[in-house]
Amino acid sequence: MEQPHDLTVDAPRAWDRPAVTVPVLVVLSLVGGRFPSFSTEANLWTLGTGGVLIWLGLSNRVPRRPAPRRLGAKAAWWALPVVVFGVFEGTTFVMAVGDDFPTFSRLADPLLEDQLVRSAVWLGWLAAFWGLVRR
């Protein structure tokens, strides 16, 4: 009988150490923060960095952390506001209602004008994505 394949790796590789990953994510976010919001350059940078992270997540190049066995019943309650927000955001985007009923992205645009804020949001996005890649 074949043993189940364990995806966890004991010895971290160089890019998996926080002393390496944090500065790399900071540099990537600083570059991404320099592009204007929703510009072609920003979209290409998002697709490129996201694509690399997806590729790393699908390959066995990154050591994995064990996933939780099962989410508790309380975690389902977090799905409710996420689904409501997604439906709200998608509906207002598809209907293109403009300023009468703006999307969250449109409301966040004044905040994202500042490069430092944009870089901080990029860093949060990259850190969350990296956490997902590690699972």
Side-chain angles (χ1 to χ4, degrees):
M1 182 174 243
E2 213 174 296
Q3 294 294 328
H5 212 42
D6 186 17
L7 293 177
T8 58
V9 177
D10 294 332
R13 296 185 177 134
W15 67 75
D16 193 41
R17 295 189 177 120
V20 174
T21 56
V22 172
V24 168
L25 293 180
V26 167
V27 168
L28 290 174
S29 66
L30 288 174
V31 171
R34 298 209 26 96
F35 301 127
S37 293
F38 304 108
S39 65
T40 303
E41 296 89 0
N43 290 336
L44 290 174
W45 187 254
T46 302
L47 291 173
T49 55
V52 168
L53 288 173
I54 289 172
W55 173 73
L56 284 172
L58 294 175
S59 69
N60 285 331
R61 297 180 184 276
V62 177
R64 308 250 189 244
R65 292 183 183 159
R69 291 274 183 219
R70 193 184 121 170
L71 294 176
K74 294 178 182 179
W77 285 104
W78 283 101
L80 181 64
V82 169
V83 168
V84 168
F85 176 77
V87 169
F88 174 76
E89 188 78 2
T91 304
T92 54
F93 179 75
V94 169
M95 292 176 56
V97 291
D99 291 333
D100 296 335
F101 208 55
T103 62
F104 180 74
S105 302
R106 195 150 190 192
L107 291 173
D109 271 347
L111 292 173
L112 295 176
E113 296 276 329
D114 185 30
Q115 287 184 2
L116 186 61
V117 173
R118 232 181 2 254
S119 293
V121 170
W122 258 97
L123 182 60
W125 179 76
L126 286 171
F129 211 162
W130 181 249
L132 289 174
V133 164
R134 295 280 316 236
R135 292 281 174 182

